[in-house]
Amino acid sequence: MKAQILGRIIRYGLYLKKGLPIPDIDGEDLKVLNFDFQHNAQEYLKNLGGQDYSSDQIKLLEEYKLNDEDLEQLLLDLSNIRFDGELILDNQNITDITLIRISQLITKIPLKVLSLRNTKITQTGGFKFGAVLSQSKLQKIYFTNTDLGLSTNLIMENLQNVKDIDFGIIGNQQLRYFTTVQHNLEHVGFQEKKSDPWDQGTKDALVSSISKSLLSATILINDFRHKKFIGLIELKCKDNRQEYVRRMCNQFKARDLDPDHPDYYYSDDFHTNAYKFSVKQYLSNVFESLLDESLFYLEKERQNVLRDEEIYQVTHELLPKEIMEDICTADGSIIVLAKYLLGKIKK
């Protein structure tokens, strides 16, 4: 099993050393480097027997876990490209050495997701990581079932770009410090440190300090003492989620009903989808479908004009009668089509 994983790392290196992105089986750029031991072991056993295997059977393969030396060259080679995907190293025998190498890497490439669940990393690597976190593009970080000690405080101070993080195992001191930190997290995770349990004052402070941005929280603990505490956090996150949904609905409604909105005449994801074609395909598809798209927006414009009561809620003024009449005539239709086409060609 380990030989197969190391072979995959060597194959990745052949591309990375030349400054080329790693292709997946479909020829697209690989966005997820998944070296989770549990995932790899399950896939390995499934290929052997054609079925899923239990956790006890997977434990028999633990001697094949990756270590710091196995990953050293891969982390060096990744600096040759602008890899902006996910790096998953869960459940491996990696230590602070690997986290220090990753700390150097994230200042050079726009890595978005880093997962280091259930590893042997300690606060030594955590301090190095926290010192450069603000210089990275990381948005999601997972240290589940990992104790980073006092370095957790430093990580908490540098969450400017992070939206989702699991701090792993933290004590009362780290949890209380988190209540004083400014952040824009959408999800957070904690595990209680048995040698430093959370007291009631710290839990109350955390509930009071939950920001409007926080949409969910994961607290991995089987202790009845925290049942009410967890419930209060879930209620506040639920309120935040409901407010978030209302806010997004209002944004979509404004875009769809307000003709002055910058995205009103803009086809959804048009500029993104265009780059998925070759130049020849792009030109062929665009010029072939451009008129169809403009006719679609003409129909949309007619529907919105005729829906004058809803438009009145946005513009706070009634539409002139001549506009409502012209939009259904040839001349009025050409004006709308021309406006759309000019805007599309400019973009």
Side-chain angles (χ1 to χ4, degrees), residues 316-330:
H316 300 289
E317 62 180 359
L318 291 173
L319 288 171
K321 183 179 179 181
E322 57 271 18
I323 292 181
M324 297 183 67
E325 293 176 348
D326 288 347
I327 194 66
C328 296
T329 66

Side-chain angles (χ1 to χ4, degrees), residues 68-80:
D68 299 316
E69 291 73 21
D70 296 329
L71 295 166
E72 179 180 7
Q73 190 60 49
L74 174 67
L75 297 178
L76 289 174
D77 292 340
L78 274 174
S79 62
N80 294 328

Side-chain angles (χ1 to χ4, degrees), residues 29-44:
D29 292 351
L30 189 65
K31 291 298 184 182
V32 181
L33 299 181
N34 189 354
F35 293 100
D36 173 23
F37 171 76
Q38 296 287 343
H39 171 79
N40 292 334
Q42 189 69 255
E43 287 295 313
Y44 175 74

Side-chain angles (χ1 to χ4, degrees), residues 295-319:
L295 290 173
F296 167 78
Y297 272 87
L298 171 63
E299 183 62 27
K300 177 180 177 181
E301 183 82 336
R302 286 175 174 172
Q303 292 174 0
N304 284 333
V305 167
L306 297 175
R307 206 164 54 211
D308 59 302
E309 290 184 359
E310 295 187 38
I311 291 181
Y312 177 77
Q313 298 299 322
V314 177
T315 63
H316 300 289
E317 62 180 359
L318 291 173
L319 288 171

Side-chain angles (χ1 to χ4, degrees), residues 96-278:
D96 296 316
I97 296 175
T98 292
L99 185 55
I100 292 173
R101 289 169 179 158
I102 291 174
S103 302
Q104 298 169 345
L105 180 66
I106 61 176
T107 63
K108 301 175 182 178
I109 66 173
L111 188 69
K112 292 294 191 299
V113 180
L114 176 63
S115 186
L116 296 168
R117 296 180 173 95
N118 194 28
T119 65
K120 297 180 180 180
I121 294 170
T122 68
Q123 66 180 12
T124 301
F127 279 118
K128 295 290 186 181
F129 180 78
V132 300
L133 179 56
S134 62
Q135 304 173 37
S136 76
K137 302 295 183 182
L138 282 171
Q139 298 177 358
K140 298 181 180 181
I141 308 169
Y142 305 106
F143 288 113
T144 309
N145 202 31
T146 301
D147 187 355
L148 297 179
L150 295 176
S151 67
T152 305
N153 292 19
L154 181 59
I155 294 173
M156 291 176 177
E157 295 172 359
N158 294 282
L159 297 174
Q160 292 86 341
N161 301 318
V162 181
K163 296 297 182 183
D164 185 347
I165 186 169
D166 191 317
F167 291 107
I169 302 170
I170 65 172
N172 187 70
Q173 189 271 340
Q174 285 81 36
L175 186 63
R176 179 170 288 275
Y177 188 75
F178 180 72
T179 65
T180 67
V181 174
Q182 296 293 325
H183 63 81
N184 294 307
L185 292 174
E186 295 178 357
H187 175 82
V188 67
F190 305 107
Q191 293 169 265
E192 185 181 41
K193 191 173 185 176
K194 293 182 179 179
S195 59
D196 186 17
W198 307 336
D199 61 39
Q200 190 60 45
T202 298
K203 291 187 289 185
D204 292 342
L206 179 62
V207 173
S208 301
S209 68
I210 290 179
S211 66
K212 292 293 184 181
S213 66
L214 194 65
L215 304 179
S216 62
T218 301
I219 301 176
L220 300 179
I221 190 163
N222 295 317
D223 193 326
F224 71 93
R225 294 182 299 110
H226 299 314
K227 185 175 181 179
K228 180 180 178 181
F229 163 61
I230 296 173
L232 290 172
I233 291 179
E234 289 177 347
L235 286 175
K236 296 198 73 170
C237 289
K238 180 180 178 181
D239 291 340
N240 289 345
R241 289 195 298 272
Q242 291 175 341
E243 178 58 31
Y244 174 79
V245 171
R246 283 194 295 269
R247 186 169 65 252
M248 295 304 297
C249 286
N250 289 336
Q251 289 180 9
F252 286 126
K253 181 179 179 181
R255 181 185 67 180
D256 200 42
L257 295 179
D258 185 1
D260 294 326
H261 194 282
D263 291 338
Y264 184 74
Y265 295 102
Y266 200 22
S267 177
D268 293 342
D269 296 328
F270 183 85
H271 63 297
T272 302
N273 293 332
Y275 287 105
K276 294 181 180 179
F277 299 99
S278 67

